[in-house]
């Protein structure tokens, strides 16, 4: 009876820490949730389409449950792990086995590491790095064949959301500009130790080759503006004084520099800054609600530049359309119309 009481007190004293394989403590606060379902591990490896000649990048291998299956299927596995305790556990697990020669472990922060060449990425990642990691992978060169990644379910649903979906946002548009994204399977929280507070989903990401011939700074400037209030009409968004002022400033700056948009070599970093996608209300504001500055600005005397901007919207029949319903092709067409009119969303 006394032994039973001691055992009950122990977990309560370390609520945020759970001990598993090899006695390694896992910390929920660091996003350490180890996939324990062997059938699920098999499914993920199978859906990755790994060839015997492939180099696989695994992010956050933990104690190596998924790593083992990847090593058996691939030519080699490069595992990036931040936690030195997990690195030791991983090395200990495969030491002296035929698989050890196929494994390379990099200890460090994947967001700060220079990633080597790889064909496929397979990862069960800490959810707090989902967005920056996705865009770091998509900016990696040479481009990989595909990535099969476990994300928090809501993030995954935003990645694959289509125009008109409730979760369609900047993240959806930016990711789908650079890659084909598909949802593979839903994963319940009870498949992990310790179980997280939310369900997960596995997503397949295939980089587009070649990338669309668009300035990513320009693209992000337009999309960021449009999704600030995604359910307002584009006409009401582009009538705002702050928007007109910004675009006119860019217009004058670029005219004085006699420079245009910069092309496909732009830094992709801005596209990964999607924090506001999660802070904004899902369904945006009321479309009938006009900003105060909109009302003040419509006194009958619209500036030439404002007419120029609205003329572009009318030319493409965009004035009454909403960002939440626009496709990739729509955004690319709208950006091309603005740029042809000399209107830019980046001043560099």
């Amino acid at each position: 009876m006394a032994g039973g009481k001691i055992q009950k007190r122990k977990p309560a004293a370390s609520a945020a820490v759970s001990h598993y394989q090899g006695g390694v403590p896992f910390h929920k606060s660091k996003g350490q949730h180890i996939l324990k379902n062997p059938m699920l591990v098999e499914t993920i490896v199978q859906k990755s389409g790994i060839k015997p000649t492939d180099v696989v990048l695994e992010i956050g291998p933990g104690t190596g449950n998924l790593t083992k299956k990847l090593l058996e299927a691939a030519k080699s596995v490069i595992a990036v792990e931040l936690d030195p305790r997990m690195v030791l556990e991983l090395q200990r697990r495969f030491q002296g086995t035929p698989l050890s020669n196929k494994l390379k472990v990099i200890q460090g922060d994947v967001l700060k590491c220079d990633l080597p060449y790889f064909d496929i990425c397979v990862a069960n990642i800490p959810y707090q790095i989902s967005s920056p990691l996705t865009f770091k992978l998509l900016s990696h060169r040479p481009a990989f064949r595909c990535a099969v990644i476990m994300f928090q379910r809501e993030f995954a649903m935003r990645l694959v959301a289509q125009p008109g979906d409730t979760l369609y946002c900047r993240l959806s548009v930016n990711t789908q500009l650079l890659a084909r994204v598909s949802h593979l399977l839903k994963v319940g929280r009870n498949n992990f130790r310790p179980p997280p507070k939310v369900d997960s989903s596995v997503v397949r990401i295939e980089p587009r080759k070649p990338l669309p011939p668009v300035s990513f700074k320009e693209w992000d400037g337009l999309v960021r503006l449009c999704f600030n209030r995604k359910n307002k009409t584009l006409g009401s968004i582009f009538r705002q004084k702050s928007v007109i002022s910004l675009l006119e400033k860019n217009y004058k700056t670029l005219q004085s520099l006699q420079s245009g948009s910069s092309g496909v070599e732009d830094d992709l970093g801005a596209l990964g800054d999607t924090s506001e996608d999660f802070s904004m209300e899902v369904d945006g504001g009321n479309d009938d609600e006009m900003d105060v500055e909109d009302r003040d600005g419509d006194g009958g005397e619209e500036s030439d530049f404002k007419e120029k901007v609205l003329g572009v919207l009318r030319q493409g029949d965009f004035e009454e359309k909403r960002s939440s319903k626009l496709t990739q092709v729509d955004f690319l067409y709208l950006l091309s119309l603005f740029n042809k009119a000399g209107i830019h969303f980046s001043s560099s």
Side-chain angles (χ1 to χ4, degrees):
M1 294 296 290
K5 287 180 181 177
I6 292 170
Q7 285 181 335
K8 283 182 81 174
R9 278 199 298 268
K10 247 185 163 183
S14 55
V17 179
S18 302
H19 295 268
Y20 296 104
Q21 251 169 306
V24 178
F26 297 157
H27 298 276
K28 283 187 179 183
S29 62
K30 296 180 180 177
Q32 292 179 342
H33 300 277
I34 305 303
L35 195 57
K36 68 177 183 178
N37 185 337
M39 291 297 293
L40 197 52
V41 170
E42 289 277 7
T43 301
I44 290 172
V45 173
Q46 181 184 1
K47 288 186 177 290
S48 301
I50 299 170
K51 300 175 183 176
T53 53
D54 282 338
V55 176
V56 176
L57 174 71
E58 185 185 9
I59 300 163
T63 56
N65 292 344
L66 179 57
T67 314
K68 182 176 184 293
K69 295 297 180 182
L70 295 174
L71 286 167
E72 291 169 353
K75 176 184 177 182
S76 63
V77 174
I78 302 161
V80 182
E81 174 58 62
L82 179 62
D83 192 333
R85 302 164 311 137
M86 297 293 182
V87 170
L88 288 173
E89 179 63 25
L90 203 61
Q91 291 171 334
R92 188 182 299 120
R93 180 169 185 173
F94 297 105
Q95 189 175 13
T97 72
L99 298 176
S100 63
N101 293 332
K102 298 169 71 174
L103 176 65
K104 178 183 178 182
V105 182
I106 299 174
Q107 183 183 332
D109 184 341
V110 69
L111 297 179
K112 298 176 182 176
C113 291
D114 289 329
L115 299 176
Y117 171 87
F118 61 95
D119 299 294
I120 289 180
C121 174
V122 182
N124 169 25
I125 61 170
Y127 294 148
Q128 57 266 33
I129 67 169
S130 295
S131 186
L133 176 62
T134 298
F135 287 93
K136 174 164 184 166
L137 291 175
L138 288 173
S139 64
H140 185 265
R141 294 294 177 270
F144 52 93
R145 191 163 79 247
C146 81
V148 174
I149 303 180
M150 181 107 57
F151 291 114
Q152 179 179 334
R153 182 159 175 77
E154 184 180 342
F155 184 88
M157 291 300 96
R158 288 176 183 270
L159 284 181
V160 302
Q162 297 298 306
D165 292 350
T166 304
L167 293 176
Y168 190 60
C169 61
R170 272 185 63 235
L171 175 65
S172 321
V173 174
N174 284 341
T175 307
Q176 292 168 33
L177 176 75
L178 306 175
R180 295 175 183 85
V181 191
S182 55
H183 182 268
L184 296 182
L185 65 150
K186 182 179 177 180
V187 181
R189 63 197 77 182
N190 291 329
N191 289 286
F192 298 90
R193 292 193 192 129
K197 293 180 180 179
V198 294
D199 290 330
S200 305
S201 279
V202 179
V203 170
R204 181 183 180 91
I205 300 172
E206 298 178 60
R208 296 188 187 277
K209 302 172 189 176
L211 288 175
V214 61
S215 161
F216 297 117
K217 288 181 180 178
E218 283 288 296
W219 170 270
D220 188 61
L222 170 65
V223 172
R224 189 182 291 267
L225 193 63
C226 289
F227 276 95
N228 186 41
R229 296 291 292 277
K230 70 176 185 179
N231 286 328
K232 292 187 72 172
T233 63
L234 294 184
S236 64
I237 289 173
F238 281 90
R239 278 188 175 87
Q240 294 178 67
K241 282 184 179 179
S242 57
V243 173
I244 294 295
S245 176
L246 171 68
L247 295 181
E248 190 167 17
K249 181 181 177 183
N250 289 346
Y251 182 75
K252 291 177 178 177
T253 300
L254 289 167
Q255 274 201 326
S256 66
L257 294 173
Q258 293 185 334
S259 65
S261 60
S262 49
V264 297
E265 292 82 14
D266 292 352
D267 184 10
L268 299 181
L271 274 64
D273 176 18
T274 55
S275 55
E276 73 272 25
D277 288 341
F278 293 88
S279 62
M280 289 190 300
E281 292 180 35
V282 167
D283 58 355
N286 184 341
D287 293 325
D288 296 326
E289 168 196 324
M290 296 295 288
D291 292 357
V292 172
E293 60 185 357
D294 293 346
R295 290 170 177 162
D296 292 344
D298 288 335
E301 291 185 15
E302 294 186 336
S303 69
D304 290 342
F305 186 78
K306 184 173 183 178
E307 269 303 306
K308 187 181 182 73
V309 170
L310 296 178
V312 171
L313 294 179
R314 293 174 189 131
Q315 179 187 351
D317 195 26
F318 284 106
E319 193 172 16
E320 297 302 318
K321 292 182 178 177
R322 291 164 169 78
S323 307
S324 59
K325 303 288 178 67
L326 296 185
T327 66
Q328 292 282 324
V329 173
D330 290 332
F331 281 114
L332 287 168
Y333 179 46
L334 179 58
L335 181 60
S336 72
L337 290 177
F338 273 121
N339 286 172
K340 283 176 185 174
I343 299 169
H344 293 272
F345 296 84
S346 169
S347 59
S348 61

